[in-house]
Every structure is written in C-alpha cells, then in structure tokens.
Amino acid sequence: MRKVVLLGYMGSGKSVIAENLAVQMNLPWIDLDQEIEKTTGISVAQLFETKGELYFRKLEHQKLTELLQSENSFILSLGGGTPCYFNNHELLSQVDSIYLKATVTTLYNRLVLEREQRPLLATLPDSELQEFIAKHLFDRAFYYHKANYTVAVDDKSVDEITAAIRAILT
Ligand code: S3P
C-alpha cells in the first residue's frame, strides 16, 4: 500500500503535479476538493458561500481521515488549507507527505490570474493580493513544514517537479 500526499499553498501546483505523478507511478489520483464536491454535489466555492468555511473544514477533515484510513494506494492532492485545521498535519506524518514550496512572487503571479473559484481570494482587490498571500503563507508555513519532504517548485516544469518527487520516493 502506498499513499503519497501533496500539500502547499493555493497555486503551488498540487493537483497538476499529483495527476502527473499518478500517471507515472501507475496509481490513482485523488483530489480532496473534488472528493468533497462529489460527496456533497456542491462546488467548494458554493460550500463556502452557503454553508460557511467551518462546515467545509469539517468535511475536509472527515474525507482526509477516511482516505488515510483506507487500505488503498493513491496520490492525493490536498486543498491549500487542509494541513492547517484540526489535527490534519499530524495525520500526514503517517504517509509520504510532500510540501510543494513556492515563493510569494510565484504564487501571486499564478493566483492573480486564477482566483475566481477560490473563495478565500476571489473578492480581494489585486492591490491587496500579494500582501495577503505573504501573510497567509507565513501563518501556514508551520503546518506545511510538518510534511516529510519539501520540494521547491519555482521555475520548474511539471515534469521536473514530478521527477524530483520520484527521486525522493525511491
Ligand atoms: C483553500 C484552498 C482550496 C480549497 C478551498 C480552501 C485554502 O484548494 O480547498 O478554497 O484554504 O487554501 P486549492 O489549494 O486547490 O486552491
């Protein structure tokens, strides 16, 4: 049984790297946000809006616990906040957890273009986005660094990052 979990801030590339890694390692790819959307039939953005963040965090914790307790092998991409709530970061020490570490500049450049579906960022004016990311990342870094491994992703292609992860896992 093999469980590999990718974590990191929004825009760090968790989903795209997890999908690529899963293809290369011939394992299923599971995305935690998508699992929550499948179970509830509601998008993450809608869940935040209609039920509130705490409701989402509870579902996220339940789903993570369920997946980690299963007998299945998979590559799992988390949501950006997953390690920072309940005891999720402790659960991650039982598996191969990898922090995809990106600088604020990289994250800003990506997120300024793709944040409509991200409820925590969607309503921020462009002028406040970079500072928000910097502060938020600082708050979350403690949890992200609980991962078993860290891979720097700035200026690297999807294949380069995937190869770096595979080298760690062998
Ligand atoms: C969140 C990140 C999102 C999603 C939700 C909350 C966060 O996932 O889980 O909007 O708290 O950072 P991505 O990191 O895939 O955008």
Side-chain angles (χ1 to χ4, degrees), residues 43-62:
S43 73
V44 169
Q46 281 294 314
L47 274 174
F48 266 70
E49 201 180 314
T50 58
K51 304 277 195 176
E53 180 171 355
L54 186 59
Y55 182 85
F56 169 80
R57 295 299 174 196
K58 286 181 183 162
L59 285 180
E60 186 180 44
H61 174 65
Q62 268 169 20

Side-chain angles (χ1 to χ4, degrees), residues 16-95:
V16 71
I17 304 295
E19 187 175 13
N20 199 42
L21 188 63
V23 170
Q24 290 192 18
M25 293 179 70
N26 200 22
L27 288 171
W29 165 45
I30 301 177
D31 182 82
L32 193 59
D33 279 347
Q34 285 181 18
E35 288 301 302
I36 293 167
E37 292 180 341
K38 267 192 246 165
T39 307
T40 58
I42 308 174
S43 73
V44 169
Q46 281 294 314
L47 274 174
F48 266 70
E49 201 180 314
T50 58
K51 304 277 195 176
E53 180 171 355
L54 186 59
Y55 182 85
F56 169 80
R57 295 299 174 196
K58 286 181 183 162
L59 285 180
E60 186 180 44
H61 174 65
Q62 268 169 20
K63 222 359 130 192
L64 177 69
T65 308
E66 203 179 287
L67 285 166
L68 295 184
Q69 280 173 353
S70 78
E71 294 298 314
N72 304 331
S73 296
F74 51 71
I75 311 291
L76 174 66
S77 41
L78 302 183
T82 316
C84 315
Y85 293 85
F86 303 98
N87 64 335
N88 293 348
H89 67 285
E90 287 168 8
L91 302 179
L92 297 177
S93 61
Q94 308 155 10
V95 292

